């Protein structure tokens, strides 16, 4: 190679190498500081696209877990209220049994019936006031056979959405809770049937026993259905947690940086950068050798 002054090719070569190694060093620094292998689209365009889809799935699954847990809390709220209604119905049957015997007179049966009516009123109050996040659970609001979410307020049975798509066989199912007011159960003065309205006479008390038995069975069916739904939701949460964990692991393998490997690259590029700087300094001093020939 000729000894020239105008074009220092050695310095140009050293500068190009310096730029290459410094750029690689910058990339390693960015990855190590962020913990991500892909910090911008140019790092891995295809990997970035896959990663973002996986991230969307992970966040959707995590929200689905929260949705399912919220539904479990709602079911527990309804079941707790139904447990109190259960106690009232059992007390009402006890009172009906008491009024059915002939050892009480009419005044005493009226006193017994006053408590009977009070229990019925309390059942209706509980059913009408039990709500979860403003959604009334036992007043018939969720007893509809069909669901409509087209309006600002959904109607009919409640949809629990936990999947990342919109497939009814995979991503959601419904919670339907029948009405649990005293009139719906057929007891108390608000009942439409002739029996179960009052126990003020011996005959009415005796006739109320079968109605109260049916009311307890109806309430038990609601609680059993809620219990089955809760078990199903708990199993759903377990599956969603496993899915979210596996999808997160897949996203990590694509996105996260291997610190050991990247640190090796960082040290290598750091050494090469330092070497390029030193060689550039030496190359820049080479044209001075021409002065010794001139002088």
């Amino acid at each position: 190679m000729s000894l020239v002054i105008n074009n220092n090719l050695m310095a140009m070569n050293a500068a190009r190498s310096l730029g290459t190694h410094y750029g690689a060093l910058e990339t390693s620094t960015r990855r190590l500081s962020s913990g991500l292998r892909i910090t911008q689209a140019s790092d891995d365009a295809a990997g970035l696209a896959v990663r973002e889809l996986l991230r969307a799935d992970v966040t959707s699954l995590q929200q689905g877990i929260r949705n399912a847990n919220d539904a479990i809390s709602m079911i527990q709220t309804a079941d707790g209220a139904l447990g109190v209604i259960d106690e009232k119905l059992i007390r009402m049957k006890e009172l009906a049994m008491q009024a059915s015997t002939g050892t009480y007179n009419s005044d005493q049966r009226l006193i017994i019936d006053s408590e009977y009516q009070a229990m019925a009123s309390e059942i209706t109050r509980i059913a009408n006031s039990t709500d979860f996040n403003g959604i009334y659970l036992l007043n018939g609001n969720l007893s509809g056979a069909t669901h409509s979410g087209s309006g600002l307020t959904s109607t009919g049975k409640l949809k629990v959405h936990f999947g990342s798509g919109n497939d009814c066989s995979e991503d959601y199912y419904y919670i339907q809770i029948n009405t649990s007011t005293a009139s719906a159960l057929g007891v108390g003065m608000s009942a439409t049937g002739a029996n179960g309205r009052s126990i003020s006479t011996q005959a009415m008390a005796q006739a109320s026993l079968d109605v109260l038995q049916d009311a307890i069975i109806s309430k038990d069916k609601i609680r059993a259905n809620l219990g089955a739904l809760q078990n199903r939701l708990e199993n759903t949460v377990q599956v969603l947690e496993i899915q979210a964990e596996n999808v997160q692991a897949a996203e990590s393998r694509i996105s996260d940086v291997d610190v050991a490997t990247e640190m090796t690259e960082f040290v290598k590029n750091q050494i090469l950068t330092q070497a390029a700087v030193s060689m550039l300094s030496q190359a820049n001093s080479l044209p001075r050798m021409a002065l010794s020939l001139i002088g």
Side-chain angles (χ1 to χ4, degrees), residues 47-59:
L48 176 69
V50 174
R51 183 191 72 178
E52 295 308 306
L53 290 173
L54 290 175
R55 286 181 62 196
D57 285 342
V58 169
T59 55

Side-chain angles (χ1 to χ4, degrees), residues 147-281:
H147 168 83
S148 176
S150 59
L152 293 177
T153 302
S154 300
T155 59
K157 53 188 177 182
L158 185 142
K159 177 189 285 186
V160 180
H161 200 122
F162 48 81
S164 58
N166 195 33
D167 190 328
C168 64
S169 64
E170 300 176 3
D171 299 314
Y172 59 83
Y173 45 78
Y174 296 98
I175 295 178
Q176 185 175 4
I177 306 177
N178 292 332
T179 312
S180 299
T181 59
S183 59
L185 295 173
V187 296
M189 294 304 295
S190 59
T192 57
N195 298 327
R197 289 173 55 84
S198 174
I199 57 172
S200 56
T201 67
Q202 187 176 11
M204 294 174 69
Q206 291 172 337
S208 296
L209 292 174
D210 290 336
V211 175
L212 288 164
Q213 183 69 16
D214 292 339
I216 293 173
I217 293 173
S218 297
K219 175 270 307 168
D220 286 341
K221 287 180 179 178
I222 297 174
R223 294 192 71 183
N225 182 56
L226 290 175
L229 284 170
Q230 180 174 339
N231 289 334
R232 185 178 180 183
L233 283 167
E234 288 173 350
N235 292 330
T236 297
V237 168
Q238 292 179 357
V239 172
L240 290 173
E241 288 175 342
I242 294 172
Q243 290 179 351
E245 180 180 347
N246 290 331
V247 174
Q248 185 73 68
E251 189 267 336
S252 175
R253 283 190 288 270
I254 294 173
S255 179
D256 291 344
V257 68
D258 185 336
V259 176
T261 301
E262 198 60 45
M263 194 64 201
T264 301
E265 287 295 313
F266 175 83
V267 173
K268 182 187 75 172
N269 290 320
Q270 189 179 46
I271 294 171
L272 288 171
T273 299
Q274 292 171 351
V277 169
S278 297
M279 291 304 98
L280 180 59
S281 176

